[in-house]
């Protein structure tokens, strides 16, 4: 093996090295029985982050304007997190999406029933507010918060 080839496989990561060796991973969501593209397919990270940014912005505006009566640094951030938790529990646990997710054409669905029950919405939202579970992804692009709540975020 050429040194450039060894360094290139190290920089590309273990998945690329295994794919070069002939391993077949399939597309994101294939193991879950979801389509590769279009409605019902796994939501891409860019859309998910965009929806999260819109939701967080709304929550900061609510905390800033209605609760803390102006920007107070840490206090506004803490209230915004609480507003985010409540909004996420109420919207994901009932209709399956937050305002940001709806704007970006995303929906959260349960793997077994298709509809997210309120308790699953609560578990998913609490884990999302902890941030660390959302940063650990599987090969389908689902965060640990989705895996533990047995949910998946898909395109509408």
């Amino acid at each position: 093996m050429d040194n450039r080839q060894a360094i290139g496989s190290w920089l590309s990561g273990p998945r690329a090295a295994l794919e070069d060796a002939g391993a077949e991973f399939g597309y994101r969501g294939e193991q879950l029985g979801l389509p590769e593209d279009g409605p019902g397919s796994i939501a891409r990270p860019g859309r998910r982050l965009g929806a999260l940014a819109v939701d967080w912005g709304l929550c900061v505006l609510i905390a800033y304007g209605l609760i803390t009566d102006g920007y107070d640094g840490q206090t506004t951030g803490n209230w915004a997190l609480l507003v985010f938790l409540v909004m996420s529990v109420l919207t994901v646990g009932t209709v399956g999406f937050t305002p940001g997710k709806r704007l970006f054409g995303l929906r959260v669905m349960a793997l077994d029933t298709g509809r997210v029950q309120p308790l699953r919405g609560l578990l998913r939202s609490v884990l999302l507010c902890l941030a660390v579970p959302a940063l650990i992804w599987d090969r389908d692009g689902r965060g640990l918060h989705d895996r533990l709540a047995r949910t998946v975020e898909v395109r509408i």
Side-chain angles (χ1 to χ4, degrees):
M1 176 183 274
D2 185 15
N3 284 341
R4 289 177 288 170
Q5 206 173 20
I7 291 172
S9 69
W10 177 76
L11 290 173
S12 301
R15 181 178 177 137
L18 287 172
E19 286 175 345
D20 289 343
E24 192 64 38
F25 287 107
Y27 62 87
R28 291 177 186 241
E30 184 175 15
Q31 292 180 329
L32 303 172
L34 300 174
E36 185 173 2
D37 292 319
S41 64
I42 295 275
R44 298 287 181 209
R47 284 184 180 219
R48 294 177 74 163
L49 289 173
L52 182 64
V54 167
D55 290 337
W56 183 252
L58 287 173
C59 293
V60 168
L61 284 174
I62 291 169
Y64 175 80
L66 300 177
I67 299 172
T68 61
D69 203 25
Y71 188 73
D72 188 19
Q74 187 67 35
T75 306
T76 303
N78 290 340
W79 278 106
L81 184 62
L82 181 63
V83 170
F84 180 80
L85 175 66
V86 170
M87 179 187 69
S88 182
V89 168
L90 292 178
T91 57
V92 170
T94 56
V95 293
F97 50 80
T98 62
K101 288 182 190 348
R102 182 67 181 143
L103 183 67
F104 279 82
L106 304 176
R107 180 172 71 97
V108 178
M109 63 180 245
L111 287 176
D112 49 359
T113 62
R115 184 167 185 132
V116 179
Q117 302 300 322
L119 286 177
R120 281 191 190 180
L122 174 67
L123 174 64
R124 183 184 189 277
S125 300
V126 167
L127 291 172
L128 183 61
C129 286
L130 293 175
V132 172
L135 298 175
I136 302 171
W137 291 16
D138 64 3
R139 71 180 237 189
D140 288 320
R142 291 180 11 188
L144 189 57
H145 64 295
D146 278 327
R147 288 186 58 95
L148 292 175
R150 295 188 317 272
T151 58
V152 63
E153 196 165 347
V154 297
R155 294 175 54 192
I156 296 177

